[in-house]
Amino acid sequence: MDAITVKNLTKRYPGTLAVDDISFSVPQGAVVGLLGGNGAGKTTTISMLLGLLVPTDGTLIVLGHDMASDRFSALARMNFSSPYIALPQKLSVIENLRVYGHLYNVPRLGRRIGELAEQFNLTGLLGRLAGELSAGQKTRVALAKSLINRPDLLLLDEPTASLDPDTGDFVRTALEAYRRESGASILLASHNMAEVERLCDDVLVMKLGRIVDRGTPENLLARYGRDDMEQVFLDISRGTEVGV
Amino acid sequence: MRACVKASGRRVWGLVYRHLSVYRRSWPRVVEMAYWPALQLLIWGFTAQFFARGHGAGGAMAGGALIAGVLLWEITLRGQLGVTFTFLEDIWSRNLGHVFVSPLRPAELIASLLIVSLFRTVFGLLPAFVIAYLLYAFNILVLGPALFLFLANLMVMGWWVALLIVSLLFRYGAGAEALAWTVAFGITPFACVFYPLSALPIWLQPVAIVLPPEHIFAGMRVALFAHSMAWSELAMAALLNGLWLLVASGVFAGQFRAARVRGALISIGE
C-alpha cells in the first residue's frame, strides 16, 4: 500500500488555480522530493495532505485513510516540520516536546523525549526556552517534535532552509537514519537541490500548480543531460522541461 | 472506546499544559489576570460605599447589588477573555499550524480553551472576592447556593461569546483581534447588570430579553433584596444560554470549515 495516493487533486481560489489536477503516489518507505519555484503549489499540496486545506476537487488517501472523511486517523500517524511554523517561544524545549507528546498520545513520553534529546543533542537544552535557541537548535527541536510520535509519514517543508552547512548535514543524516530504522515515508519540499539528490528516491517537479516532470534524481539528470539537480531545476523553471 | 476517551483527554491536557506552563513562569501574566477585576471592584466598591452612606438601608442594599453586579459580570468578561486570549496566544506564537496538523479535534481545542478560561477566571476573580469581603464587608456567598447557578450561567455566556469571537478570528485572522477585547464590553449596556430591564428604552428591551444576563441579574436582585430564588429567571437564562451555545458552536464549526477551504488556518496570524 502506498503511504500517499493523490488523484486529480485541484485547489482553486477565487482568481487563482493553485494546484491543477495533479496525481501522484508516495510508496511506503520512500523519500519523495517535491520541487518547484515559489508559487509552484508545493506548500498548497502539503497543506492539503495535512488536512489544513480542503481540496476543491480530487482525492487524498494518506496511510490508507481518506483525508476528506477520516483525517484524524491519518494525522495521528503523521508529523510535519517547517521552519515557517514556530513552536511556542515561551515554553522550554522539554515543555514543547511534552505538549506534542500529549497531542500525539505518545506512550512512555518521558523515555521518548530522552531518546530524542540524545539523538538530536538536546539534552543540555531541555530546560532552555525555545525562544532563546539559535536557528540550528530550533531546527533540531522542530525535528525532534516531528519524530515524537514515530510517524509512518513525515512531511517536511524546507527543513534545512537558512541553516549552516553543518546543521543542514546533521538534519539530513538524522532523516536518513530515521527512515532506515523506521521504514517511514517522507515527502520533502525543498529548494536545496543537493539535499534532494542525496535524500530522495523519487522527485516530483511542480510548476504553476502542475506536476511537469518526475523521476529519480539519476533519471532526471540523464534526461536533461545535466550534472546536478540545480541545473535540472533551472531548466524546468525556465521552461525547457522535457515533460512527464 | 476507553482508549479513545483517554487519548482525547491527553490531547486536551496537552494544550492546557501548554498554556499553564507559560503562566507558571510569568508573574506579569498572573498579575494581569487579577488586575482588572480588582481595579473594577475598587472603583465601584468605593462608589457603592459613598452612595450607601447617605441613603440608609436602601442605599446599603443598592450598594450591595452594585458590588455583586461588578463581581458577577466580571465572570462573563473574564470567561470570554480567557478563551479568546488563550486562542490569540497561539496565533501570536505562530504555533497553530502545528496544532491543527496534530490529531487534535476542534471539540478538543474548544475544551482546552474552556479549561484554561476557567483557570484564568477563578484565579483572576479570587482576589476581587477577597477585596469585596475585606474592604466593603460584602460576602458574595450571601447569594446562597444559587450563587453557583448564577456563576455557571455567566461563565457559559462568556464562553459562547468567545466562540463567536474565535469564529471571527477564523474569518478575519488576527486583524479581528481588537474584537476579542471589546465585544463582551459592548454587551454590557444590554446585560442589565446594574439596573432592571425597565431602565432601558422600550425599543432596546427585546435585545436585553434575548440575552441571558438580563435574567441572571434580575434573579440576583431578587436573591439579594427578597432573599428568595427567581427560578423562572434562572431557567430562562439557562435556556437562552443553551440556545446561544448551539448557535455559537454552529458558527464556530462553519467558520472552522470555511477557514480550511480558504486556507486561512495557514495564514491566521498574518
Side-chain angles (χ1 to χ4, degrees), chain B residues 47-168:
Chain B
T47 308
Q49 262 191 347
F50 171 72
F51 281 117
R53 271 187 212 125
H55 296 86
M61 281 171 76
L66 186 60
I67 294 173
V70 170
L71 285 174
L72 293 184
W73 187 233
E74 275 296 318
I75 288 167
T76 299
L77 300 178
R78 295 303 119 190
Q80 178 260 308
L81 279 173
V83 171
T84 46
F85 184 81
T86 305
F87 187 72
L88 280 167
E89 285 246 36
D90 269 324
I91 291 183
W92 294 328
S93 63
R94 293 173 51 240
N95 176 50
L96 277 175
H98 283 307
V99 171
F100 288 134
V101 303
S102 78
L104 185 86
R105 277 66 166 168
E108 292 162 353
L109 169 70
I110 293 174
S112 69
L113 293 174
L114 300 189
I115 291 169
V116 178
S117 161
L118 187 62
F119 159 81
R120 280 179 55 97
T121 305
V122 169
F123 277 83
L125 279 170
L126 267 179
F129 286 171
V130 172
I131 290 170
Y133 184 71
L134 294 178
L135 281 186
Y136 312 120
F138 178 81
N139 184 357
I140 191 77
L141 298 174
V142 294
L143 289 170
L147 170 70
F148 295 100
L149 297 174
F150 291 130
L151 297 184
N153 268 293
L154 288 164
M155 195 77 193
V156 170
M157 162 142 186
W159 287 345
W160 64 250
V161 172
L163 280 185
L164 291 173
I165 295 169
V166 171
S167 304
L168 287 171

Side-chain angles (χ1 to χ4, degrees), chain A residues 178-197:
Chain A
Y178 181 68
R179 181 232 191 153
R180 198 169 47 244
E181 288 156 15
S182 67
S185 315
I186 299 176
L187 183 66
L188 168 75
S190 179
H191 286 140
N192 184 323
M193 299 302 134
E195 176 172 280
V196 169
E197 251 180 286

Side-chain angles (χ1 to χ4, degrees), chain A residues 11 54 84 95 98 100 106, chain B residues 10 17 24 94-95 261:
Chain A
K11 182 65 191 180
V54 178
Y84 308 113
E95 285 166 346
R98 279 188 195 135
Y100 286 95
V106 175
Chain B
R10 262 194 96 180
Y17 173 79
R24 206 175 48 136
R94 293 173 51 240
N95 176 50
V261 171

Side-chain angles (χ1 to χ4, degrees), chain A residues 143-182:
Chain A
L143 208 55
K145 171 261 162 192
S146 71
L147 298 183
I148 190 106
N149 60 329
R150 295 185 178 87
D152 294 322
L153 172 64
L154 194 52
L155 302 186
L156 303 170
D157 191 6
E158 300 184 43
T160 57
S162 69
L163 292 182
D164 65 69
D166 184 40
T167 312
D169 181 65
F170 179 90
V171 169
R172 288 185 272 276
T173 304
L175 290 173
E176 286 173 324
Y178 181 68
R179 181 232 191 153
R180 198 169 47 244
E181 288 156 15
S182 67

Side-chain angles (χ1 to χ4, degrees), chain A residues 37-147:
Chain A
N38 297 324
K42 305 185 302 292
T43 302
T44 304
T45 303
I46 286 184
S47 298
M48 288 191 276
L49 285 166
L50 287 164
L52 279 174
L53 192 57
V54 178
T56 307
D57 211 350
T59 56
L60 280 166
I61 308 294
V62 177
L63 299 169
H65 303 281
D66 187 338
M67 290 302 281
S69 57
D70 189 21
R71 73 178 192 278
F72 294 113
S73 301
L75 289 174
R77 296 171 53 204
M78 303 161 65
N79 216 312
F80 169 64
S81 183
S82 165
Y84 308 113
I85 300 181
L87 291 169
Q89 310 285 293
K90 304 284 183 200
L91 261 58
S92 67
V93 171
I94 194 166
E95 285 166 346
N96 266 299
L97 294 175
R98 279 188 195 135
V99 167
Y100 286 95
H102 290 309
L103 288 180
Y104 284 91
N105 195 28
V106 175
R108 291 182 289 281
L109 181 56
R111 188 194 293 182
R112 180 64 183 148
I113 291 173
E115 288 168 3
L116 289 166
E118 198 171 316
Q119 187 183 348
F120 291 100
N121 295 337
L122 296 173
T123 309
L125 301 175
L126 287 175
R128 294 263 303 273
L129 293 182
E132 294 173 352
L133 303 179
S134 69
Q137 289 167 335
K138 279 180 186 168
T139 302
R140 274 153 45 203
V141 175
L143 208 55
K145 171 261 162 192
S146 71
L147 298 183

